[in-house]
Amino acid sequence: MALIVKKFGGSSVATTEKIMNVAKRVLSEKQPGDQIVMVVSAMGDTTDDLIKLAEGITKDPYQYTREMDMLLTTGEQVSISLLAMAFKTLGQPAISLTGPMAGMKTNSVHTKGRIVDITPQRVHEELDKGNIVVVAGFQGSDEFGDPVTLGRGGSDTSAVALAGALKADTCEIYTDVDGVYSADPRIVKDARKMKEITYYEMLEMARLGAGVMQPRSVEMGKFFNIPIHVRSTFTNKPGTIIREDYTMEDKDFVIRGVAHDEKVAKIAVLGIPNTPGIAHEIFSALADANIDVDMIVQSIRNIEKNVTDMVFTVATDDLG
């Protein structure tokens, strides 16, 4: 008997056929007495399609961040309702809950929200009734009740945070790859799949561009000390376990893997006064706009005139 949180991404639930296959797989693996919580993303390219709809209204829809969250949270509601129907069709009691219904509380930073509290009382109540609980990932609500999304990959964070709040035995992340590799297997053909990796190593790889996990979800796993099993939706092979430390001898690598990120924009601020406080002025403004800065390079342009150049990188989504 175990309490298990299972997260399925958009490619896993892209069609109604795939949704039925997910439901059948979960039921085939369910042991007597197990309590199952599902966290689900929007179907396939739904989020991208919703963004395109908004771009049909305005070239810069993200200037209206609250309305974008109101729009984007509808994608997960479609997939959770269909998956709950799939379970019921197969004879398994189930219920769908939005992020706020599941007790997911966030700050008020729309489109880039952070989880501030989780009170999953409703989830416990539905599990006690014998339901499989299907929760919308990627979303919560702020103190005003407004919908807030957690950024790209936020369903991973929803799943791990919910697993921690529920004191689950494990959190399983199902995706279109069968684990964490030493490099992107689509580019490096002989990349090695890792049986285990630590939270710290996975966090570093995620921050450097490894798209298999969102960095915040790894942080949540470490905070709650919840083992995270990254595995494939389409095979039954074991995946990669993300945990505090290794349980096997697979730990003697000086380098665990190589990550890359193509969604990076470089910004150069040229000819600014080389005076104390100028860097703070630039980066505090970015911080106030909730924009993360990665690499920073400062170089003297002209010693006599005491001016400098400041170059830094941000995610392309933050470029505008």
Side-chain angles (χ1 to χ4, degrees), residues 62-259:
Y62 278 99
Q63 64 182 303
Y64 311 118
T65 54
R66 181 191 179 277
E67 303 312 323
M68 284 301 290
D69 277 352
M70 187 67 77
L71 173 67
L72 297 181
T73 50
T74 63
E76 281 71 27
Q77 289 182 224
V78 173
S79 53
I80 62 172
S81 58
L82 292 175
L83 184 54
M85 291 180 195
F87 280 122
K88 291 180 179 182
T89 300
L90 296 171
Q92 166 64 50
I95 188 169
S96 61
L97 301 177
T98 65
M101 288 179 184
M104 198 75 67
K105 298 294 183 183
T106 71
N107 60 15
S108 296
V109 182
H110 289 288
T111 72
K112 295 181 183 180
R114 288 182 179 269
I115 298 169
V116 296
D117 190 29
I118 307 175
T119 53
Q121 180 180 349
R122 177 78 183 276
V123 179
H124 280 299
E125 292 172 354
E126 297 298 343
L127 289 172
D128 291 341
K129 294 176 185 178
N131 284 314
I132 284 181
V133 182
V134 187
V135 179
F138 179 61
Q139 60 177 253
S141 63
D142 65 11
E143 60 179 321
F144 306 107
D146 289 344
V148 177
T149 61
L150 306 178
R152 284 290 184 159
S155 292
D156 290 347
T157 303
S158 298
V160 180
L162 192 56
L166 291 168
K167 295 180 172 58
D169 295 286
T170 188
C171 179
E172 299 178 346
I173 305 291
Y174 290 84
T175 181
D176 53 0
V177 295
D178 59 352
V180 180
Y181 280 78
S182 57
D184 189 335
R186 294 168 297 185
I187 299 172
V188 183
K189 293 183 179 180
D190 58 349
R192 177 177 53 84
K193 187 177 83 172
M194 292 175 271
K195 295 179 180 179
E196 294 182 322
I197 188 170
T198 68
Y199 295 123
Y200 287 117
E201 291 169 337
M202 188 68 247
L203 182 58
E204 188 72 6
M205 289 186 66
R207 289 198 186 283
L208 292 172
V212 68
M213 290 290 292
Q214 190 198 49
R216 287 183 194 171
S217 65
V218 184
E219 291 174 349
M220 285 286 181
K222 172 157 181 57
F223 179 79
F224 288 111
N225 197 26
I226 293 287
I228 304 170
H229 188 184
V230 181
R231 55 191 307 200
S232 172
T233 304
F234 309 108
T235 72
N236 291 317
K237 296 179 181 178
T240 301
I241 303 291
I242 307 170
R243 50 164 51 108
E244 183 68 31
D245 204 356
Y246 296 101
T247 59
M248 299 174 288
E249 295 181 0
D250 186 27
K251 59 183 179 181
D252 295 326
F253 292 94
V254 176
I255 298 173
R256 293 296 296 174
V258 177

